[in-house]
């Protein structure tokens, strides 16, 4: 028997006992549904959301969550139903690879706005038997017929932007990589029968599930765009075109049929045959004035996941492993930590530490944000798909070696923000700004065999390209490319569109080990987050919280989201109960202190979806982000 994590977000009821992996409730409410829209009539328009800093609509904050302790296995996802299904796979002897398949299949149903089989992702997998870390690149690719101007204009003779915009047109849809990724890792490390791993999602799609507050808020936010696509409109909206509200019972027989085919025939059922033809047709559909894409059945049939060398560096004596390019997340996280190692971060712990992570210090937030500015500057300039654009010096080492990061850390002043950082001088400057990135989801798993997985999975923006086919949404991942292929200096932009190329990402699935070197010791932590271009900030604050400030993983995840990209703006998540957003934050000591150092502080709500699992002397302890609906579950702790 076990004290289970609860549907309200891991709060452990004092006397409630349940079977392993069973979600129980202790009476604490789930996040409140979004408020009803105001009555019809003239009103000032709401300011547009900044998708670079708040990529998915916020749905509140669950205060006072407590960490979940387990003995031998644990899983965290962004939705209780997906966590429960994956946990039962682990309970019944499955591996982390098996649990990933089930979790992703369920997430594609109950959290379709964030991830699914129409998207891709990056996976770090730890194989306990060989003590090896494997990095799987399941990023989407540009069609073979895509040109450098694919996102820029309709054609060489029609130089108008794709309709209704690049994201909602067929031009944004890349070749999905998720099904192939799951198939590859399962073939290598799965123990359970592939077919059986889809049963929970197929049953749920047939029998129905209730729309959660987060999904309802996302549907309401995207309703105008969803109306353009007949299948998306028919699924997410009521017959009168209004968004389906919280609690609506939804079934998805088309998704059940699709999953059934994949379960029976493997990944080939997705990349060839009827499903592939439907994906190509949906991408080419110009109904409603949408500009078609040029994806072909051959693009799908020839897609391959790439196993890459994981990017492992040292921080405070531990080894931290992340994803290499085309994700920039691993490099940016490693560079930030490498600079922070020059500062006594343990001296700048949060004050008044409570279940919500306490109140970070001005100096702590300042130093992290400055290091991130420098890391983002290099990321923005130099990182792209290395199969097309090499890194300076031909490897990540140039951007991450000790001497270079020592010099970068020396640029950080304790007394004033640098505002905007200059990148290191390795090549002529590229001055095209990076495209904004958007929302994703995170799955963190430890199995009873000692294997672990950190999968960051995405369809890019909320609801992807708004194209729905066979019960699932297609990604808009190609908008992570730069639409402008040439810089203002007349040089090719590294992250421009090219046939077969993978767009740059900021996803940062992370594994931490006890010590650096050939014998890295035991696995210590598994973590990651969605959040688009802000992912690096979410992951870094959690790592610093755990490794420098001795927070448990729930406190570190729950702590105020803070950090900066390479702009004068420093993010401070206004959704957190410890942040006083009244009067534009003028009465908040942290905001006041940062502004005194020259920071332009944004109090916009952050929509991180962090999860973290950390080893203890008796098992594992985990935390799930209070800003989403996720939970941690496992066996008796």
């Amino acid at each position: 028997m076990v004290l289970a994590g609860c549907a309200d977000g891991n709060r452990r009821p004092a006397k409630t006992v349940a079977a392993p992996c069973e979600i129980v409730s202790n009476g604490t409410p789930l996040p409140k549904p979004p408020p009803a829209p105001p009555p019809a009539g003239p009103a000032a328009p709401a300011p547009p959301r900044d998708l670079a800093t708040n990529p998915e609509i916020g749905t509140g904050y669950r205060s006072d969550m407590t960490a979940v302790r387990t003995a031998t296995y644990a899983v965290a996802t962004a939705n209780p139903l997906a966590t429960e299904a994956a946990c039962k796979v682990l309970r019944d002897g499955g591996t982390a690879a098996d649990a990933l398949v089930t979790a992703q299949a369920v997430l594609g149903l109950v959290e379709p706005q964030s991830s699914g089989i129409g998207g891709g992702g990056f996976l770090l997998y730890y194989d306990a038997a060989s003590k090896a870390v494997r990095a799987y690149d399941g990023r989407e690719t540009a069609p073979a017929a895509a040109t450098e101007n694919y996102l820029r204009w309709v054609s060489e003779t029609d130089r108008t932007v794709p309709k209704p915009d690049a994201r909602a047109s067929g031009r944004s849809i890349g070749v999905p990589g998720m099904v192939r990724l799951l198939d590859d890792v399962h073939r290598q490390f799965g123990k359970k029968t592939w077919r059986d791993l889809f049963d929970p999602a197929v049953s749920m799609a047939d029998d129905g599930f209730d729309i959660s507050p987060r999904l309802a808020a996302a549907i309401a936010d995207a309703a105008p765009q969803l109306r353009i696509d007949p299948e998306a409109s028919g699924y997410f909206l009521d017959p009168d075109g209004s968004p389906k509200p919280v609690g609506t019972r939804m079934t998805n027989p088309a998704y059940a049929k699709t999953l059934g085919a994949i379960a029976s025939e493997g990944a080939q059922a997705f990349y060839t045959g009827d499903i592939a033809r439907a994906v190509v047709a949906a991408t080419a559909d110009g109904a409603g004035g949408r500009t078609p894409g040029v994806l072909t059945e051959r693009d799908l049939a020839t897609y391959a996941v790439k196993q890459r060398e994981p990017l492992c560096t040292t921080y405070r004596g531990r080894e931290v492993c992340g994803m290499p390019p085309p994700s920039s997340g691993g490099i940016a996280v490693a560079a930030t930590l490498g600079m922070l190692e020059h500062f006594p971060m343990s001296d700048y712990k949060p004050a008044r530490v409570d279940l919500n992570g306490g109140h970070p210090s001005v100096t702590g937030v300042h130093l992290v944000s400055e290091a991130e500015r420098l890391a983002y500057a290099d990321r923005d300039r130099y990182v792209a798909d290395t199969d097309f654009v090499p890194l300076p010096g031909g490897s990540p080492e140039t951007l991450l070696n000790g001497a270079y990061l020592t010099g970068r850390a020396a640029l950080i002043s304790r007394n004033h923000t640098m505002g905007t950082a200059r990148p290191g001088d390795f090549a002529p400057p590229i001055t095209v700004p990076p495209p904004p990135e958007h929302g994703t989801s995170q799955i963190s798993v430890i199995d009873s065999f000692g294997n672990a997985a950190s999968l960051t999975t995405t369809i890019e923006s909320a609801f992807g390209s708004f194209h729905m086919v066979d019960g699932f949404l297609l990604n808009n991942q190609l908008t992570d490319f730069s639409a402008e292929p040439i810089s203002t200096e007349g040089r090719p932009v590294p992250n421009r569109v090219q046939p077969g190329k993978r767009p740059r990402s900021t996803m940062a699935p992370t594994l931490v080990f006890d010590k650096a070197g050939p014998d890295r010791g035991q696995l210590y932590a598994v973590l990651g987050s969605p959040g688009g271009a802000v992912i690096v900030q979410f992951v870094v604050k959690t790592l610093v919280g755990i490794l420098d400030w001795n927070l448990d993983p729930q406190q570190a995840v729950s702590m105020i989201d803070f950090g900066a990209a390479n702009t004068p703006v420093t993010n401070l998540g206004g959704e957190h109960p410890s942040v006083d957003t009244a009067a534009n934050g003028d009465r908040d000591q942290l905001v006041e202190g940062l502004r005194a150092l020259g920071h332009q502080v944004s109090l916009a709500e952050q929509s991180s979806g962090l999860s973290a699992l950390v080893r203890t002397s008796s098992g594992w302890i985990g935390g799930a982000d209070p800003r989403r609906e996720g939970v941690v579950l496992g066996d008796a702790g």
Side-chain angles (χ1 to χ4, degrees), residues 112-170:
Q113 74 274 25
S114 296
S115 73
I117 60 174
F122 291 101
L123 168 66
L124 283 185
Y125 196 91
Y126 175 63
D127 174 34
S130 64
K131 297 186 177 180
V133 177
R134 311 290 180 93
Y136 293 83
D137 171 3
R139 186 69 159 164
E140 298 86 341
T141 57
T147 67
E148 289 187 340
N149 294 311
Y150 189 59
L151 300 173
R152 193 178 179 196
W153 50 56
V154 173
S155 69
E156 292 299 321
T157 56
D158 180 4
R159 295 195 172 190
T160 59
V161 296
K163 311 281 189 307
D165 53 37
R167 177 221 171 148
S169 74

Side-chain angles (χ1 to χ4, degrees), residues 117-119 139-147 150 169-177 270-271 275-285 291-303 465 467 469 472-478 499-501:
I117 60 174
R139 186 69 159 164
E140 298 86 341
T141 57
T147 67
Y150 189 59
S169 74
R171 298 293 176 86
S172 69
I173 301 170
V175 182
F270 183 89
Y271 291 95
I275 298 174
R277 284 189 286 273
V279 169
V280 169
T283 304
D285 183 6
T291 301
V294 297
L295 192 71
T296 67
E297 290 182 53
R298 178 170 174 75
D299 290 323
L300 284 155
T302 57
Y303 179 85
S465 63
H467 290 63
V469 57
F472 62 92
L473 288 158
L474 294 174
N475 68 85
N476 66 301
Q477 212 65 250
L478 300 191
K501 190 175 182 180

Side-chain angles (χ1 to χ4, degrees), residues 427-432 484-494 496:
I430 303 296
T431 56
V432 173
E484 296 289 337
I486 304 298
S487 73
T488 54
E489 290 84 9
R491 301 179 184 276
V493 174
R496 67 192 183 278

